[in-house]
Amino acid sequence: MARRKRLHHHVYVVELSKDVLLERKFRRCNPGYVDGKPCVYVGMTGLDPDVRFDKHMAGIQANAYVTRYGLRLLPDLFEGFNPMSYEDAQAREVEIGIDLRSAGFGVWQA
């Protein structure tokens, strides 16, 4: 009998403060950034995105940019995709990052 994939993984997008643009590494990784566009972190998790965001902000298994510059989740950019399998979440995380970068956003991904 074929094993069913569990659909409990999520992609999420966190808005970052514009102060992240003061980080040389962030700027270097976003040469196509358009002034005025949002800066974001794109991630994936097996947790609810709200819980994962809270963990970032508490410094638990956190990305430093989210801990320092995280403002809020941007559910309009990810809610329609969730939940999904682990493999689909991995692929969707990359796709969202590419799409947002091509739209001029500043993007950081783990």
Side-chain angles (χ1 to χ4, degrees):
M1 182 158 114
R3 191 173 185 177
R4 289 184 358 165
K5 290 184 179 183
R6 292 182 52 196
L7 304 179
H8 74 278
H9 284 82
H10 304 268
V11 292
Y12 61 99
V13 180
V14 176
E15 182 179 7
L16 303 175
S17 162
K18 296 285 195 226
D19 292 344
V20 74
L21 293 168
L22 299 174
E23 299 278 352
R24 188 178 325 166
K25 188 174 180 180
F26 187 90
R27 281 194 327 271
R28 191 173 51 241
C29 289
N30 288 284
Y33 174 72
V34 174
D35 282 340
K37 292 283 189 168
C39 295
V40 297
Y41 172 84
V42 180
M44 66 164 278
T45 182
L47 303 172
D48 179 271
D50 290 313
V51 171
R52 184 66 187 107
F53 177 69
D54 291 343
K55 286 186 169 227
H56 275 294
M57 298 309 289
I60 301 167
Q61 295 177 328
N63 176 271
Y65 290 146
V66 178
T67 302
R68 280 188 227 131
Y69 304 108
L71 299 175
R72 68 188 136 275
L73 289 170
L74 297 174
D76 289 348
L77 298 178
F78 65 84
E79 271 186 338
F81 303 122
N82 296 328
M84 63 189 87
S85 70
Y86 177 82
E87 295 81 10
D88 289 343
Q90 280 183 309
R92 182 65 66 176
E93 176 191 359
V94 172
E95 290 170 10
I96 290 172
I98 290 169
D99 290 348
L100 294 176
R101 260 201 190 96
S102 68
F105 283 51
V107 178
W108 192 261
Q109 289 179 279

